[in-house]
C-alpha cells in the first residue's frame, strides 16, 4: 500500500509500543529508519525487528528534553543517510491524575518537557534543513486527551497534548507555503490487544495513519487526523 523506498524516517520514542510499530511499518515499506530513545539498550527489541526485515537503520540515544541532544540526533541521522524526509515526534510522558498537590514540581516539569517541549525542540532542530530543501514532513503524535470534548482527568498531560495539536496547526500554516508539512495524529485510545473488547484503535492503525500523512501528494496535506474506533459490541 505504501512505498517509502529511499525515504529517511526519524522516530522518537521508538523503543516499544507505538514508536516501535511506526518504525517497523515504515521499514516494511522500504524506508531507512532512525530509531531513538533515552538509552540504546532499550532499542534492542526494535532493532531486532528491523534486522529481521533487512531494514537499513541506525540507533541513536537521545534525551528529547535536551535541545542539544535533538540537534545532535538530526546531525547524526543526516550524516548517515544524507537527509531526513519525515520526523515522527512520538516520544511522550504520561502523568495521570488531576490533583497537582500529589505531583512534585519535578514530575510536572518532566511531563511538560517530554510531552510538549520535546516536540518544539525536535521541530526547531530540523526546521532549517526542511525549509532549505523546501520539502519534509513532521508528524506530531497527540492524544484524544487533548481534544476539547475530552473527559480526561490527566490535566497536565491533557494540556500538553492539546498544545501539540495547536502547535502543529500553527506551524503548518506558516511553513506549508515553503513545501513543508506539519501534521498531527490524534488517537482517542490505543490498545495493542483485545480490540474487540475495548473501544480503541491499534498501534498499527496509528502507524498507517501517520504513513498516509507522510505520503507524497501533489497538492494534499492531511494536517490533523483524529482516530476513533468502530463502535464495538458490548
Amino acid at each position: 500500500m505504501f512505498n517509502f523506498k529511499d525515504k529517511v524516517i526519524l522516530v522518537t520514542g521508538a523503543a516499544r509500543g507505538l514508536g516501535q510499530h511506526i518504525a517497523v511499518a515504515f521499514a516494511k515499506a522500504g524506508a531507512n529508519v532512525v530509531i531513538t530513545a533515552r538509552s540504546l539498550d532499550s532499542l534492542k527489541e526494535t532493532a531486532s525487528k528491523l534486522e529481521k526485515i533487512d531494514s537499513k537503520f541506525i540507533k541513536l540515544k537521545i534525551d528529547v528534553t535536551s535541545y542539544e541532544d535533538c540537534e545532535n540526533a538530526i546531525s547524526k541521522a543526516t550524516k548517515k543517510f544524507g537527509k531526513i524526509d519525515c520526523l515522527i515526534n512520538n516520544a511522550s510522558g504520561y502523568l495521570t491524575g488531576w490533583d497537582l498537590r500529589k505531583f512534585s514540581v519535578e514530575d510536572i516539569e518532566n511531563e511538560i518537557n517530554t510531552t510538549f517541549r520535546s516536540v518544539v525542540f525536535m521541530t526547531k532542530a530540523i526546521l532549517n534543513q526542511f525549509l532549505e530543501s523546501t520539502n519534509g514532513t513532521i508528524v506530531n503524535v497527540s492524544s484524544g486527551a487533548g481534544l476539547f470534548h475530552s473527559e480526561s482527568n490527566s490535566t497536565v498531560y491533557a494540556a500538553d497534548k492539546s498544545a501539540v495539536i495547536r502547535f502543529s496547526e500553527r506551524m503548518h500554516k506558516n511553513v506549508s507555503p515553503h513545501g513543508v508539512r506539519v501534521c498531527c495524529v490524534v488517537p482517542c485510545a490505543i490498545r495493542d490487544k483485545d480490540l474487540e473488547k475495548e473501544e480503541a484503535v491499534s498501534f498499527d492503525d496509528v502507524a498507517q495513519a501517520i504513513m498516509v500523512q507522510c505520503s507524497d501528494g501533489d497538492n494534499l496535506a492531511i494536517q490533523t487526523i483524529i482516530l476513533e474506533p468502530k463502535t464495538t459490541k458490548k
Side-chain angles (χ1 to χ4, degrees):
M1 181 177 177
F2 299 102
N3 182 5
F4 286 92
K5 182 175 173 55
D6 298 327
K7 299 291 186 181
V8 180
I9 314 297
L10 190 156
V11 185
T12 66
R16 60 186 64 84
L18 178 58
Q20 184 179 99
H21 279 72
I22 293 169
V24 170
F26 273 104
K28 286 181 176 178
N32 302 324
V33 184
V34 182
I35 53 174
T36 75
R38 286 180 183 267
S39 75
L40 292 179
D41 282 346
S42 69
L43 289 167
K44 286 182 178 179
E45 183 178 307
T46 304
S48 176
K49 290 178 180 292
L50 295 177
E51 287 170 352
K52 288 178 181 178
I53 56 179
D54 199 26
S55 169
K56 293 181 180 179
F57 71 94
I58 58 169
K59 300 183 296 181
L60 295 178
K61 177 183 177 181
I62 174 177
D63 176 1
V64 290
T65 70
S66 162
Y67 182 66
E68 182 179 1
D69 270 22
C70 294
E71 275 195 314
N72 287 339
I74 298 300
S75 177
K76 290 177 181 178
T78 304
K79 183 176 181 180
K80 170 65 177 179
F81 291 116
K83 62 172 182 173
I84 298 171
D85 294 287
C86 303
L87 164 65
I88 316 300
N89 283 316
N90 168 70
S92 176
Y94 186 50
L95 187 64
T96 60
W98 64 268
D99 194 343
L100 299 181
R101 297 170 299 176
K102 297 180 179 180
F103 306 143
S104 68
V105 171
E106 183 179 4
D107 288 337
I108 295 170
E109 287 181 338
N110 186 59
E111 165 59 39
I112 295 170
N113 291 343
T114 305
T115 303
F116 177 59
R117 193 179 185 185
S118 66
V119 172
V120 178
F121 278 1
M122 287 298 293
T123 300
K124 175 177 169 58
I126 205 169
L127 192 58
N128 192 57
Q129 180 183 145
F130 279 0
L131 290 175
E132 283 190 352
S133 66
T134 63
N135 185 53
T137 301
I138 300 168
V139 180
N140 300 320
V141 179
S142 183
S143 164
L147 296 174
F148 180 75
H149 64 265
S150 170
E151 297 181 1
S152 172
N153 282 327
S154 300
T155 51
V156 181
Y157 173 80
D160 287 335
K161 287 302 189 181
S162 180
V164 169
I165 297 171
R166 299 286 87 78
F167 175 78
S168 303
E169 290 174 349
R170 298 321 305 165
M171 282 300 301
H172 180 76
K173 181 71 172 178
N174 286 283
V175 301
S176 58
H178 305 284
V180 180
R181 293 176 290 187
V182 181
C183 309
C184 191
V185 62
V186 189
C188 288
I190 313 175
R191 300 286 186 274
D192 192 24
K193 299 177 181 178
D194 297 327
L195 295 177
E196 70 280 3
K197 299 178 182 178
E198 300 187 61
E199 293 186 359
V201 296
S202 70
F203 289 141
D204 288 332
D205 291 332
V206 183
Q208 286 190 33
I210 291 172
M211 295 172 82
V212 169
Q213 290 176 310
C214 291
S215 298
D216 291 331
D218 291 336
N219 190 35
L220 177 65
I222 304 175
Q223 200 279 320
T224 301
I225 300 179
I226 299 174
L227 301 179
E228 294 186 344
K230 294 179 180 179
T231 302
T232 57
K233 296 180 179 180
K234 299 294 185 181

